[in-house]
Amino acid sequence: MVIHGLNKLTLLDYPEHTACTLFCGQCNFRCPFCQNSSLVLNPDSEPVIPWETVEAFLVKRKGFLTGVCISGGEPTLQPDLKNTIIRIKELGYKVKLDTNGYMPDVLKELIYEKLLDMVAMDIKSSRESYARASGIPLIDVSRIEKSVSLIMSSGITYEFRTTMVQGLQTDEDMRSIGVWLRGAKRYYLQHYEDSDLVMDRSMKGFSKDGMEHAAEIVRGDVPSVKLRGI
């Protein structure tokens, strides 16, 4: 697995765990609000951290850290993802995977082989608006639907999350998402933060009141919805 970044300590990325985060390159989406545009558009230009360096870090921090988050980019595009997770678990860590859900077969294999302790999946918008929010005009939304169903029936800890960006999630989109995710145990609306690395700098986030309004729309179907980052 090609690792371009290592956040050595996070108290936020893996709930209830002291963890580190590994960042992969490449992605099959082009979300205009993406915060890791360099990993998506130009991964080959990014520094690479050898696996030996990562493993040595994990060995040294064993006992202090309890979890490893694998993020991106999109990790399910990595050909060595499964073997990397196996090695991380052999070292005694729990593994959380961040994914856009567009590779349901990869996700299914990892879940069925009990290699994941938690999955966090992005829900970009409603089914009807997914192409616009993901930056993929011909997106196959059925692949997203498969991943949602798989995760909700898996029995493992999971969360769904939507980064709230003006113009990408309307009230009607939020009503549709609520029906789609009905019964979900954890759903977060995340505040969008602008930065120099965002793919489209014209993107703007919602106000706190706007996010509260969106959450209230969803809450009729997904009572667990919460705000994050605001």
Side-chain angles (χ1 to χ4, degrees):
M1 189 171 80
V2 181
I3 299 169
H4 292 287
L6 168 60
N7 180 2
K8 294 183 177 181
L9 176 63
T10 175
L11 302 178
L12 301 175
D13 289 351
Y14 195 158
E16 301 176 6
H17 287 278
T18 303
C20 67
T21 303
L22 307 180
F23 293 94
C24 309
Q26 302 183 10
C27 190
N28 38 20
F29 284 7
R30 294 293 183 269
C31 306
F33 54 89
C34 178
Q35 296 279 354
N36 293 329
S37 59
S38 58
L39 290 177
V40 172
L41 299 175
N42 302 296
D44 292 341
S45 68
E46 295 293 311
V48 174
I49 303 175
W51 169 250
E52 292 76 15
T53 300
V54 174
E55 183 167 356
F57 168 78
L58 293 176
V59 170
K60 182 178 180 180
R61 303 298 279 175
K62 187 176 179 180
F64 175 72
L65 298 178
T66 58
V68 175
C69 307
I70 302 179
S71 191
E74 176 49 46
T76 58
L77 297 177
Q78 296 289 321
D80 270 352
L81 176 61
K82 178 179 173 179
N83 289 335
T84 300
I85 292 175
I86 289 173
R87 180 58 185 146
I88 292 171
K89 293 189 74 67
E90 287 174 347
L91 292 172
Y93 289 92
K94 292 185 178 296
V95 174
K96 170 182 172 264
L97 180 71
D98 293 344
T99 183
N100 61 25
Y102 207 54
M103 301 291 284
D105 291 342
V106 174
L107 190 58
K108 180 178 180 179
E109 180 180 13
L110 295 176
I111 290 175
Y112 281 15
E113 295 194 21
K114 301 186 185 304
L115 294 176
L116 300 178
D117 300 285
M118 181 175 178
V119 176
M121 179 177 162
D122 294 319
I123 302 296
K124 305 300 181 180
S125 189
S126 67
R127 296 175 177 94
E128 298 80 8
S129 298
Y130 231 91
R132 181 160 47 92
S134 66
I136 306 298
L138 299 179
I139 192 168
D140 180 359
V141 179
S142 70
R143 294 168 66 169
I144 305 295
E145 293 173 330
K146 288 178 182 177
S147 289
V148 168
S149 297
L150 175 66
I151 290 169
M152 290 183 67
S153 63
S154 68
I156 68 173
T157 301
Y158 68 85
E159 70 175 45
F160 297 114
R161 58 203 186 182
T162 298
T163 300
M164 299 297 294
V165 182
Q166 292 185 33
L168 297 184
Q169 298 97 16
T170 65
D171 286 2
E172 188 57 38
D173 288 321
M174 300 313 297
R175 291 187 188 93
S176 181
I177 291 172
V179 173
W180 185 10
L181 300 184
R182 185 176 290 156
K185 295 180 179 179
R186 294 184 182 180
Y187 179 42
Y188 292 92
L189 304 186
Q190 299 185 153
H191 185 247
Y192 166 76
E193 296 287 348
D194 189 23
S195 79
D196 291 339
L197 297 177
V198 173
M199 197 167 297
D200 182 345
R201 293 299 306 280
S202 70
M203 297 289 102
K204 295 182 179 180
F206 281 69
S207 65
K208 183 176 181 180
D209 287 346
M211 290 184 64
E212 290 280 10
H213 173 70
E216 195 59 35
I217 291 173
V218 176
R219 215 160 260 139
D221 293 292
V222 187
S224 64
V225 64
K226 296 179 181 179
L227 303 187
R228 176 182 281 165
I230 195 168

